[in-house]
Amino acid sequence: MTVLTADWLLSDTLAPQVEGDPLAPLYAGSDRGELVLPFCAACALPLDLDQQVCDGCGAAEITWRAVEPTGTVHSMTVMHRREPGLVVAAEPYPILDVELASGHRLIMTTRTHPSSLPRIGDPVAVAFRNLGGVAIPSADLDPAAPPTTEASS
Amino acid sequence: MTASDVALVGLGMTAMSLSPGRAPQELAREALGLALADAGVTHGDVDGLLVGSSQGIRPDRLGVAFAAQGGFSDLRLLEHVEIKGATTIAMIQRAALAIETGVARTVVCVFADAPLVAGKGAGSAYAHSGGQSGVRGLERASGMLGSVPTYALLAQRWMHLSGATADDLCAMATTTRAWALGNPAAVVRTPLDAEGYLASPLIAEPLRRLDCARPVNGAVAVVVSGDTGLGHPVRVRVRGSGREHPVRHRRAGAESWFGGGRRAVDDALAAAGMSRSDLDVAELYDPFSVVTLMLLEEYGLTDGRTAGEFVRAGETGPGGRLPTNTGGGQLSGFYLQGMTPLAEAVIQLRGDGGERQVAGASTALVGGIGGRLDHHAALLLERAA
Ligand SMILES: [Zn+2]
């Protein structure tokens, strides 16, 4: 018997494509437990995840590197609509827009079902949840909580 | 030829339908026929065709093949215009430019959309679209399903910055619905008060179902011409337009969604030689109640008040200083992206608004937004004397 980690929130069918994806460096970093994000190789400006050319200096070379996994809440909503077949959680769930210490803004949910929710401006730590075998950056509001697990044979 | 000779001289609309079934091409064909008849012209009078369609969830979206599908002969102008929700105004700008420069004389702009498909609700159809790749793939893997949570994040941030409240959203939703009662083409025409609004379920905080547009299937076509010898007896002149495409980055130091739009309105007003106090009606793109509130402030239409104060004082409602979204708006299912705000402006300026007619309306501002407030477009229309 193997124990698979199942995401608390979403169906595995929403696992992102990793191979050949523009965000592959982010997923590879997440798999190692590192938050890896893109910067301009020339001037170190934090770039959007899909940015090809730096708007600060015009350079086209991008460096993905690990950043400090902390930030503050830029905005947050609680999603009440739970799409059948895609959302497995039985309760409304949070979506956070986190402004990271690196300067990037990243959309994420929480690593586990949260016991309480932060407000705009509150600090958050970033960890990872596992969705269909892909590690996804997520806000770690309850560091002591174990990930949801399910047994399968 | 001067810009003021360019006018909207024909309008055709299908029903706003909640029933899936008809393909975008079929809906477009019906709207086209109605618009040509409204203008009193035939296919042979048309030398330009612009098509628009929502990107997204249908592979059979309307495209330039509609020139052949729609029965046209050789054309001098044919394009698929695409800047998301600001597409309609971009089409009118493109048509006006072609007419002013002599490229074409009479241009038809057609938009068709059919997001409702059999077996799924609209929310479900949007939730299942978007794919598993790129930024959208990561967002969807983080629970951002459909378009509502995006605008919920934007709404929460805007309320945090501006001090706007849930009461303001409620006032916007109920005031907009008051207009729908007089529009037989709106899908939702029942009166709405605060109690009814609060009974509406939350979709993504702070947005309730009644803060969200009601998707429909349908099409709208308009005939734009510089030929003063043809068209509907009441000409609606294109007096000015403006665009603004703020290129934003999601990083510390700037807002992700706000700012932009005012210059588009300023440019449209300047071209028309008008000021904000000259506006009789405003028809804004309102996929969510919060967007109308934000646009009223960003466009500088609230006399220095907050949008919430302006709306709660009744200024956007029937009898108000700036009647806004007088067809009930996209919130009431009068929603074919930018085309319904444009159509409602034409209806008001022709005096064809029936129970919802704004007395003496002779000027209209039409506003369009696209993406996550990344594209702003403004159009100034005036009834010909
Ligand atoms: Zn750079």
Side-chain angles (χ1 to χ4, degrees), chain B residues 225-250:
Chain B
S225 185
D227 188 339
T228 53
L230 56 74
H232 189 278
V234 181
R235 296 173 69 79
V236 173
R237 295 190 295 163
V238 176
R239 291 294 313 279
S241 65
R243 292 260 287 274
E244 192 168 8
H245 302 274
V247 177
R248 294 187 247 265
H249 294 281
R250 288 181 38 73

Side-chain angles (χ1 to χ4, degrees), chain B residues 279-281 301 303 305 310 314-317 319-323:
Chain B
L279 298 174
D280 293 331
V281 297
L301 300 174
D303 294 330
R305 285 176 273 179
F310 192 73
E315 303 289 26
T316 61
R321 179 183 297 201
L322 184 65

Side-chain angles (χ1 to χ4, degrees), chain A residues 40-45 47 54-59:
Chain A
C40 172
C43 78
L45 192 66
L47 302 180
C54 175
D55 55 301
C57 75

Side-chain angles (χ1 to χ4, degrees), chain B residues 21-261:
Chain B
R22 299 174 72 196
Q25 290 74 12
E26 186 185 349
L27 295 162
R29 191 258 308 151
E30 181 186 338
L32 168 69
L34 293 168
L36 295 178
D38 182 64
V41 301
T42 67
H43 280 75
D45 296 311
V46 175
D47 56 4
L49 174 65
L50 301 174
V51 298
S53 53
S54 89
Q55 57 199 353
I57 60 181
R58 285 194 76 119
D60 58 343
R61 61 190 283 190
L62 193 68
V64 289
F66 189 66
Q69 294 159 351
F72 291 93
S73 303
D74 295 349
L75 298 168
R76 301 295 314 283
L77 174 71
L78 174 62
E79 290 173 16
H80 186 172
V81 181
E82 165 61 23
I83 49 169
K84 305 189 178 184
T87 293
T88 289
I89 292 173
M91 286 199 287
I92 301 301
Q93 289 181 303
R94 182 72 189 93
L97 182 65
I99 292 166
E100 287 161 15
T101 54
V103 171
R105 288 179 66 82
T106 299
V107 179
V108 179
C109 304
V110 189
F111 175 90
D113 196 18
L116 304 180
V117 295
K120 267 186 191 164
S124 186
Y126 285 109
H128 281 270
S129 71
Q132 256 85 278
S133 66
V135 176
R136 197 72 192 103
L138 177 61
E139 290 181 351
R140 281 165 52 74
S142 302
M144 289 268 279
L145 303 173
S147 58
V148 182
T150 298
Y151 275 86
L153 287 172
L154 185 154
Q156 295 283 45
R157 181 73 190 171
W158 186 69
M159 290 164 77
H160 174 78
L161 293 172
S162 71
T165 65
D167 283 350
D168 297 339
L169 300 181
C170 175
M172 192 77 251
T174 55
T175 305
T176 306
R177 180 67 67 77
W179 284 114
L181 307 189
N183 181 8
V187 165
V188 188
R189 294 192 299 278
T190 49
L192 180 67
D193 58 12
E195 191 182 351
Y197 169 84
L198 291 171
S200 164
L202 281 162
I203 304 295
E205 296 177 22
L207 302 178
R208 296 176 182 275
R209 179 173 294 154
L210 294 180
D211 289 304
C212 306
R214 182 76 185 264
V216 300
N217 290 1
V220 179
V222 294
V223 182
V224 187
S225 185
D227 188 339
T228 53
L230 56 74
H232 189 278
V234 181
R235 296 173 69 79
V236 173
R237 295 190 295 163
V238 176
R239 291 294 313 279
S241 65
R243 292 260 287 274
E244 192 168 8
H245 302 274
V247 177
R248 294 187 247 265
H249 294 281
R250 288 181 38 73
R251 69 168 74 102
E255 289 298 323
S256 290
W257 304 298
F258 313 128

Side-chain angles (χ1 to χ4, degrees), chain A residues 35 68-74 97-102 104 108 121-126:
Chain A
L35 183 58
E68 186 188 339
T70 61
T72 58
V73 177
H74 182 71
D97 189 11
V98 175
E99 184 169 300
L100 297 160
S102 64
H104 301 83
M108 59 187 75
D122 285 351
V124 286
V126 178

